[in-house]
Amino acid sequence: MFCKNCGKEIADQAAYCVHCGAVTDNPSAFNTQPVVTGNRTNGFAIAGFVLSFFSYLAILGLIFSCVGLNYSKQPEYSGNGKRLSIAGIVISCVSIVFWVIFAALP
């Protein structure tokens, strides 16, 4: 395809001319769907895992890990943080049980 403004050759799928910046008459270039990359970082999974190691913050770690696990199922995260969230849930539960038993001892 050739640009209608400057006449230089451009790609057939181009929405704009790479040489002069003019808009092309290619309607299919504007009807594309955004690509989901799946590169988002799951901050809740990380926070839940870290908080699961601290005594009374293990409850927050459990909550954040559950939210992180839910986020990991969304397409923009594409599974990022799933294993970290599961580890945070397990460690939080063990930590909470440990601190409940520890607090009950005389």
Side-chain angles (χ1 to χ4, degrees), residues 10 24 28 31 47 52-53 59 61 74 77 80 90 98-99:
I10 56 175
T24 63
S28 65
N31 294 332
S52 67
F53 289 101
I59 295 171
Q74 295 177 359
Y77 290 97
N80 284 347
V90 170
F98 173 76
W99 287 107

Side-chain angles (χ1 to χ4, degrees), residues 28-95:
S28 65
F30 296 104
N31 294 332
T32 59
Q33 294 293 326
V35 176
V36 177
T37 60
N39 290 335
R40 293 194 62 184
T41 302
N42 195 339
F44 279 104
I46 296 168
F49 181 75
V50 170
L51 291 174
S52 67
F53 289 101
F54 298 103
S55 59
Y56 295 106
L57 297 176
I59 295 171
L60 282 176
L62 179 63
I63 294 169
F64 282 13
S65 293
C66 290
V67 172
L69 183 61
N70 190 31
Y71 277 177
S72 70
K73 297 175 184 175
Q74 295 177 359
E76 61 265 15
Y77 290 97
S78 68
N80 284 347
K82 181 178 180 181
R83 288 184 266 172
L84 198 58
S85 295
I86 293 171
I89 291 170
V90 170
I91 295 170
S92 292
C93 291
V94 169
S95 182

